[in-house]
Amino acid sequence: MIEICIRFPDTPNTLLKYILDGNASDRWNMSWTSFYKVYNNIIIIMTRNVFEKFNFNYSEADLKDVLCDVFFSLHQIFIQKKYIFENHCFRGLLKK
């Protein structure tokens, strides 16, 4: 098993602010697109690390399922206002 070390990017507060705004505007859509591009590979690497740590036999489809579940969960957290970027580090939320 090879565990890949992850360096989390800094998530710009403006990006999170636009996502948390919840207004389905062009800016909101562009922010989600940028957010996805930044965190897509990180979530895949984190998932692979966990699967391999527990010797889980997985496929690329499993990784994509987890990726969809994570982004859906993040969207729910954001629209329910359960995350306040002024009070919390985003990468801490992602690690949960």
Side-chain angles (χ1 to χ4, degrees), residues 8-16 19 35 38-39 83 90-91:
F8 281 90
D10 292 329
T11 308
N13 286 343
T14 53
L15 182 63
L16 289 173
I19 289 172
F35 184 79
V38 169
Y39 283 100
Y83 174 76
F90 176 72
R91 69 187 74 141

Side-chain angles (χ1 to χ4, degrees), residues 9-12 15 33-43:
D10 292 329
T11 308
L15 182 63
T33 300
S34 297
F35 184 79
Y36 180 84
K37 287 178 182 177
V38 169
Y39 283 100
N40 174 43
N41 289 331
I42 291 171
I43 293 168

Side-chain angles (χ1 to χ4, degrees), residues 1-4 6 42-58 63 66 94-96:
M1 174 180 79
I2 299 173
E3 186 169 321
I4 298 172
I6 303 169
I42 291 171
I43 293 168
I44 292 291
I45 292 168
M46 290 173 73
T47 304
R48 274 196 179 109
N49 285 346
V50 170
F51 283 173
E52 291 175 5
K53 180 179 180 178
F54 293 101
N55 296 317
F56 183 73
N57 187 16
Y58 65 92
L63 294 173
V66 170
L94 193 58
K95 289 180 181 180
K96 289 181 179 185

Side-chain angles (χ1 to χ4, degrees), residues 17-86:
K17 181 181 175 186
Y18 295 141
I19 289 172
L20 292 170
D21 178 34
N23 182 4
S25 64
D26 288 341
R27 185 180 291 177
W28 182 82
N29 288 327
M30 288 176 15
S31 297
W32 265 108
T33 300
S34 297
F35 184 79
Y36 180 84
K37 287 178 182 177
V38 169
Y39 283 100
N40 174 43
N41 289 331
I42 291 171
I43 293 168
I44 292 291
I45 292 168
M46 290 173 73
T47 304
R48 274 196 179 109
N49 285 346
V50 170
F51 283 173
E52 291 175 5
K53 180 179 180 178
F54 293 101
N55 296 317
F56 183 73
N57 187 16
Y58 65 92
S59 67
E60 289 300 310
D62 294 323
L63 294 173
K64 289 180 182 180
D65 285 346
V66 170
L67 184 68
C68 288
D69 289 346
V70 168
F71 276 101
F72 178 78
S73 295
L74 287 171
H75 182 260
Q76 293 301 308
I77 288 168
F78 292 158
I79 64 173
Q80 294 170 9
K81 308 291 187 203
K82 291 183 178 179
Y83 174 76
I84 302 169
F85 75 89
E86 294 95 348

